[in-house]
Amino acid sequence: MAGSGNVLKCISPIDGSVYAERAVASQDEAVAVAKSARDAQKAWAARPMAERIELVRAGVAKLGEMNDEIVPGIAYMMGRPTRYGGEFGGVNERASYMADIAEEALKPIVIEESDNFERRIEREALGVVMVIAPWNYPYMTAINTVAPALIAGNTVVLKHSTQTLLVGEIMVKAFVEAGMPADVFQNVFLDHGTTEHLIQNRYFNFVNFTGSVGGGRAIERAAAGTFTGTGLELGGKDPGYVCEDADLDAAVDTLIDGAMFNSGQCCCGIERIYVHESQYDAFVEKAVAIVSGYKLGNPMEEETTIGPMASKRFADEVRGQIKEAIADGAKALIDPALFPKDTGEDAYLAPQILVDVNHDMRVMIDESFGPVVGIMKVSSDEEAIKMMNDSEFGLTCSIWTKDAKRAANIGAQIETGTVFMNRADYLDPALCWTGCKDTGRGGGLSVIGFHNLTRVKSYHLKKVL
């Protein structure tokens, strides 16, 4: 490609160096990609579903074979320590599950098959699906839509985050090497203007976007009036609630890991915790002990348990939230001396636990997307429900109790997409991944994921006149 003349640069959070750069496609080049995907779609959809499934499975397997190069690449691009081994386990789990259920999820609904009438509802591919993927879990978030879209008979155009610039290229390479036709699954490097142009001019039949609320609004504006379907996952401020009957050790271990893993850069990470007053002091003490034992450092080093955030800009936002909260009366419990790598000058950010917080503080309201969590004391389920719902986001909540009926009752009152009991920060591919409020709309994975990537067509055939 000749390119637009602009260049995308991935700045590594490890040392601030340019890790990779790619030329931005010109508008004409981007249109050509979209048109080639359109031209290839009918033939792809006409293939037996078993063939499409086999090729998707082969593409995922090929991606797994590349894991030794993928894992350090993730570390260089967005900072996750190599000790955690990458994302292939999750990629394989999600893609395999969607492949397993495809035949059943997409089979026709037969209303009548008689001598006089044939009446049925079928599902057919939408056409061309655009996937705009984020950097925080670059392979897993992309595969959520890529795998079911391809299985259902759509062609896919993937645009990945600049922070994880090479991921789309690697994914497409794996699938094409495994036998996927080149025009069926393509990667593009685009700027915002060209992306907007493609959406506005109906080059895609569906756009799946994972990212910021502002980004989601931009997608909706671009699609306005085109009737193009959109799936939008726009972040969260996910709460945990520890009841008085909770297993305290399990609750602390899981919720703190959910708050701090991946340097807190998880869509469904725990960003605020409400603890019943009878468990509060012990919970806080155990949480501080866990976080104080982390090792902040270069993600390429084996002893590192928490790496830098993906960029200094993201780290500075979290620093700002913490500083404002402390100025307004919050108490920081993690000694910064334990994390000398955090100088305040780059993407390395010490994890922090805040108490004496309230919902007037940004750290308890705005998305932090970093290694900080506020912990508040509550005295009842009613108080906890009120606090959990006091948010513009609604992705997941995590309820800790020994009583499943109680958890279900609390969950029914929470404005959220997923209710967890005694676990957190996990995406089950058999369940619909969805949210409400500023978290966005739509649903990925599960049977519902296939429904959102296909359209229904009804057949009413009268055989006898």
Side-chain angles (χ1 to χ4, degrees), residues 149-195:
L150 291 170
I151 289 170
N154 302 286
T155 52
V156 174
V157 175
L158 174 60
K159 174 192 178 298
H160 223 292
S161 167
T162 302
Q163 192 61 53
T164 40
L165 191 61
L166 304 185
V167 171
E169 200 171 72
I170 292 169
M171 289 184 71
V172 167
K173 177 184 177 184
F175 275 63
V176 171
E177 287 185 359
M180 183 74 65
D183 289 342
V184 168
F185 183 25
Q186 300 179 73
N187 177 67
V188 289
F189 300 106
L190 303 178
D191 58 25
H192 294 321
T194 299
T195 304

Side-chain angles (χ1 to χ4, degrees), residues 33 73 89 95 162 183 288 307 317 356 376 389 420 436 463:
V33 168
T162 302
D183 289 342
V288 169
E317 167 62 17
D356 297 339
M376 291 180 65
N389 281 336
F420 289 114
C436 59
K463 298 179 180 178

Side-chain angles (χ1 to χ4, degrees), residues 240 242 255-256 270-275 283 364 373-376:
V242 181
L255 290 175
I256 293 302
I270 296 297
E271 296 214 356
R272 50 201 174 105
I273 301 173
Y274 306 98
V275 184
F283 184 97
M364 295 298 288
V373 65
I375 305 176
M376 291 180 65

Side-chain angles (χ1 to χ4, degrees), residues 13 146 176 198 275 413:
V146 168
V176 171
L198 294 174
V275 184
Q413 300 175 69

Side-chain angles (χ1 to χ4, degrees), residues 228-250:
T228 300
T230 58
L232 306 171
E233 188 205 318
L234 310 178
K237 192 72 182 174
D238 290 6
Y241 170 38
V242 181
C243 301
E244 75 283 352
D245 68 336
D247 181 321
L248 185 63
D249 287 337

Side-chain angles (χ1 to χ4, degrees), residues 27-72:
Q27 185 169 294
D28 287 345
E29 289 169 336
V31 167
V33 168
K35 285 183 174 179
S36 69
R38 177 77 61 198
D39 292 342
Q41 192 271 322
K42 293 297 184 185
W44 174 246
R47 289 198 182 200
M49 186 186 297
E51 285 188 19
R52 301 197 300 266
I53 291 172
E54 183 180 357
L55 283 168
V56 168
R57 289 190 191 275
V60 171
K62 180 65 71 172
L63 199 63
E65 294 172 10
M66 301 163 67
N67 205 50
D68 286 347
E69 69 177 90
I70 285 173
V71 171

Side-chain angles (χ1 to χ4, degrees), residues 333-357:
L333 299 183
I334 303 302
D335 183 356
L338 296 172
F339 302 94
K341 189 69 173 174
D342 180 357
T343 64
E345 300 299 323
D346 51 29
Y348 290 88
L349 177 65
Q352 189 54 265
I353 292 173
L354 299 173
V355 294
D356 297 339
V357 290

